[in-house]
Structure formats: C-alpha cells, structure tokens
Amino acid sequence: RKDEKEYALKQIEGTGISMSACREIALLRELKHPNVIALQKVFLSHSDRKVWLLFDYAEHDLWHIIKFHRASKANKKPMQLPRSMVKSLLYQILDGIHYLHANWVLHRDLKPANILVMGEGPERGRVKIVVVTFWYRAPELLLGARHYTKAIDIWAIGCIFAELLTSEPIFHCRQEDIKTSNPFHHDQLDRIFSVMGFPADKDWEDIRKMPEYPTLQKDFRRTTYANSSLIKYMEKHKVKPDSKVFLLLQKLLTMDPTKRITSEQALQDPYFQEDPLPTSDVFAGCQIPYPKREFLNEDEPEEKGDKNQQQQNQHQQQAAPQQQPQAAPPPPQPQQQNSTQTNGTAGGAGAGGGGAGAGLQHSQDSSLNQVPPNKKPRIGPSGANSGGPVMPSDYQ
C-alpha cells in the first residue's frame, strides 16, 4: 500500500475457501472497535486458489511482554509490570470483549498471544484483540460442557489478569498432556484445584450436572486441596486479599460460570475507579522497554524458544489445568504466532496474525490456522523503541 504503514498478512490454510470461512471473514469485516484488530482487505489469488487477509500490524503482544518480565525474574533482576499498565491492559481487553459479547460473538481462544498492543504511532499503547491453550480453558469446558458461553471468555481474561500480575501462567501445564479429544483433562483440573481449591457444592451447585462429574468424583479427593485457595496463591505474589485488584480477579475466576462476573460488570468494578485510572495508551507515555519482534528463518526450529521457556517454567514450579464501560478511561493468535512483517506490501504476515477469526463462535472451522510464507517471529534483543521516561516498575 502507498501509505507505508505496516500490515499483517495472513494466509488461510489450504486452497479455496469454505463457506464457514466466508462467514467468518464477513463477520470480521463487520467488527469495528478500537480494541479489536481490524481486517483491512481480503486478497484472492486465482492462480493458486489462496486467500490472504490483511490486518493492522501490532509490534507487541502480551505473550512477549509477559515473557520479558518473566525473564527479568529468572535473571534475578525482577521487574514487574507497572500496576497502571496492568489496569489499562485489563480495561481495554474487557472493553473489546464486551463489544464482541454485545454483538453475540464469543472469542473462545483468549490468551496472551492473541492480545496485541500497538507500538509507536497514532494508536500507541492500544490493545488489539485478535478474534480467532488450554491453560486459559474454563473448568466447565474441562468437565465436558457442550456449549460455549460468554463466561468462558471471562475466565480466560481472569487467567490473563493473574499472569500480568505475576508474570507466570496461573494454571500452567504441559501442552502434550491436554491436547486430546477428551474434554476431561486431569492435570489441568488438578492445577486449577491446586490454586483455587476444590469447589464446594454450595459454590457450584450445577457441577453435578457436568458430563464428566462422575470421572471427577472418581479421580479427585476434596481433602487433597484443603489448603489451597486463590488468596494464598496471590499472597505469594504480594497481592493482598482485601485489595481491589484481588477482589476483581476473584470475580473473574469464579468457578461457577453462572456466578462469574460479566464484561459489563467488570468494566464498572471499583478497581478501575481508583488511582491510577486506566489510559488509552497502556504505556502511559513512558518509554517502551519491549523490543520489536525479530524473525526466524524457516529452517530454525519453531519450538526452540518455547522449550527453553517451558523448562524455565517448570524450574519455577509452575504446574497444570477454563454493556458499555462506565469508568472514565479508554475511548472509543496460536501459541507463537507465525508471521512476516510487511511495509504496505503483500509480502508476508505480520506478527499480530495468530489465527484471526478461527475462534469465533459462529464456526468450528479450523481453516484459518496461520501458515506463514517463510518466517516466524521471535523476541528481539532488549532495547527501547521510543523516547521519554523509562517505564516504572511500581506494582506491589
């Protein structure tokens, strides 16, 4: 394109285009919100029957931002995400999800890699949700719930919120242990109960109606988790149980989906009304410490960085598992996203591409998995991207 703006170009897997993919593309073109990634154009290649989607490009995502802070802990130089940044990120995520829910769109695959953040430019510090693992799956899904609800997205937001506060996935487990066709995942549920405690009947009355409840009774004992609670877990990370930040987290991570807070209610929570207030620029005018993505060559192992990180996570004892805003602030994805940066040309996929559209409730189709032309993103060397004061690390 002539505007020299950077875009993310994403190829739809396979040849031709299915009716379900057509429906999702049509829906994506209708979604217009400051916190939802915008589909700019659709390209059809008649010669090889390929379909390409052009999105706005974002320089950062929460996966890399959290990785940056987790690495600082591993290097004995811990630097927490600033509390003002955490609040602004959460507010904008909720705002985008509230827009989707108000339009009867369920995301179904919220995770840090699908939450993009704009770098320098007109939308600096603006969250962009990629509309398209298991670590963010709600407990009702793990117990065989057959229907997706808005509450499932809310649980995932709670997981992301906790990860922003601690720089660690709250319900971490090995992916190979949970990627099965059976919805019941023992290790994942064990990790959830190890953090949250085993749900009491009075706290989740309908748990007995879950398809996998008999298996739950057979495999788990309530007494095993008698000393576990979200309060104790977050206290280890210096988050006080009477703080507004914890009280909102608790509402997002309520086990019973019918009692879980909605996006509209969360946007009005007292947490967003105490200082510091959320801002439309999550970096709040400070220097951005996160590097722009570099790109791996096709012959470099895709999982190299992830395996190293998993080993580090295990060493840190992370284990395994699911309306308009009233507060003042902002105005109007796949594990590691595979992509190639463009400068206004249709020559690769941007780092913000991960699976756009594949998680919409309107379709179970998996044809939108990202297939990059030849490159993959990786976190680059540390270095600032902008001027201004260095971002403070003031979260306690």
Side-chain angles (χ1 to χ4, degrees):
R1 292 175 59 147
K2 296 180 180 179
D3 55 14
E4 296 187 359
K5 180 180 175 181
E6 292 180 336
Y7 292 90
L9 189 62
K10 179 184 182 320
Q11 180 187 10
I12 294 182
E13 192 174 83
T15 58
I17 186 166
S18 66
M19 285 303 297
S20 60
C22 283
R23 286 193 297 270
E24 292 194 5
I25 290 171
L27 178 61
L28 279 171
R29 298 191 70 155
E30 294 297 318
L31 296 177
K32 299 193 183 302
H33 186 274
N35 298 123
V36 176
I37 197 72
L39 173 60
Q40 297 289 354
K41 287 187 178 297
V42 180
F43 298 99
L44 304 176
S45 174
H46 296 288
S47 58
D48 56 7
R49 295 172 54 81
K50 297 290 185 182
V51 180
W52 298 82
L53 307 180
L54 190 73
F55 294 92
D56 289 338
Y57 171 75
E59 294 173 343
H60 309 284
D61 64 42
L62 292 196
W63 190 91
H64 283 94
I65 289 174
I66 293 169
K67 180 180 177 182
F68 177 92
H69 290 277
R70 190 161 55 236
S72 74
K73 290 171 66 175
N75 294 331
K76 310 298 184 185
K77 297 179 180 178
M79 183 177 70
Q80 293 278 18
L81 275 85
R83 60 180 180 178
S84 56
M85 181 176 171
V86 171
K87 182 177 289 187
S88 297
L89 285 167
L90 180 63
Y91 188 92
Q92 293 191 41
I93 292 168
L94 285 166
D95 204 11
I97 290 301
H98 174 58
Y99 168 80
L100 295 178
H101 287 180
N103 285 279
W104 296 99
V105 175
L106 306 184
H107 190 287
R108 304 190 309 164
D109 194 27
L110 279 170
K111 55 188 176 184
N114 286 338
I115 309 295
L116 312 181
V117 184
M118 303 298 284
E120 296 298 340
E123 292 191 285
R124 183 185 195 272
R126 180 67 59 82
V127 165
K128 298 286 183 178
I129 298 171
V130 177
V131 185
V132 261
T133 130
F134 290 123
W135 299 348
Y136 310 92
R137 279 200 169 181
E140 62 267 29
L141 287 182
L142 301 172
L143 290 173
R146 296 187 173 93
H147 301 286
Y148 285 90
T149 67
K150 296 175 182 179
I152 286 166
D153 285 345
I154 299 302
W155 176 272
I157 291 173
C159 295
I160 293 169
F161 188 21
E163 194 166 346
L164 289 170
L165 296 170
T166 67
S167 300
E168 299 175 6
I170 185 171
F171 304 126
H172 172 80
C173 71
R174 294 182 301 171
Q175 289 290 90
E176 56 266 30
D177 290 344
I178 52 181
K179 284 189 173 179
T180 67
S181 57
N182 183 358
F184 184 86
H185 297 292
H186 181 283
D187 289 349
Q188 186 107 55
L189 285 167
D190 175 64
R191 176 56 179 170
I192 290 178
F193 299 153
S194 296
V195 173
M196 307 288 294
F198 197 89
D201 291 342
K202 64 180 178 61
D203 294 331
W204 188 359
E205 296 173 2
D206 288 343
I207 192 173
R208 297 175 179 275
K209 300 177 183 178
M210 290 288 146
E212 298 292 339
Y213 182 71
T215 312
L216 180 74
Q217 281 189 305
K218 178 170 64 75
D219 288 4
F220 292 90
R221 293 290 175 268
R222 186 185 306 275
T223 53
T224 306
Y225 309 98
N227 294 321
S228 301
S229 71
L230 184 61
I231 288 177
K232 291 180 180 178
Y233 177 83
M234 294 307 295
E235 278 187 327
K236 292 177 184 176
H237 295 280
K238 301 179 182 178
V239 177
K240 297 177 181 178
D242 59 349
S243 64
K244 290 185 174 64
V245 61
F246 177 82
L247 294 175
L248 176 55
L249 177 65
Q250 195 173 44
K251 296 170 192 173
L252 295 167
L253 291 180
T254 298
M255 297 281 271
D256 185 345
T258 64
K259 297 176 182 176
R260 209 169 291 152
I261 196 172
T262 66
S263 56
E264 182 176 21
Q265 291 167 340
L267 285 165
Q268 300 173 28
D269 193 83
Y271 170 63
F272 294 116
Q273 296 165 17
E274 69 174 3
D275 289 331
L277 295 177
T279 57
S280 58
D281 176 2
V282 301
F283 304 120
C286 293
Q287 177 177 321
I288 301 175
Y290 312 109
K292 295 182 182 180
R293 292 178 181 84
E294 288 184 348
F295 295 90
L296 296 175
N297 294 324
E298 190 176 34
D299 55 356
E300 293 190 60
E302 177 181 3
E303 301 298 329
K304 180 179 178 182
D306 291 341
K307 286 183 179 178
N308 291 340
Q309 190 60 55
Q310 285 176 1
Q311 291 172 358
Q312 184 182 31
N313 289 347
Q314 290 168 0
H315 181 67
Q316 294 173 347
Q317 299 181 344
Q318 300 174 29
Q322 177 191 109
Q323 302 151 308
Q324 295 297 319
Q326 299 299 314
Q333 310 203 335
Q335 186 133 357
Q336 177 81 326
Q337 298 138 357
N338 302 327
S339 52
T340 304
Q341 181 173 335
T342 71
N343 289 305
T345 62
L360 301 182
Q361 172 64 14
H362 295 68
S363 170
Q364 298 284 341
D365 188 75
S366 61
S367 61
L368 290 178
N369 292 331
Q370 184 154 2
V371 183
N374 56 12
K375 299 199 176 182
K376 300 181 174 80
R378 133 181 111 181
I379 193 163
S382 59
N385 295 331
S386 64
V390 175
M391 181 184 298
S393 178
D394 56 3
Y395 182 75
Q396 296 296 330

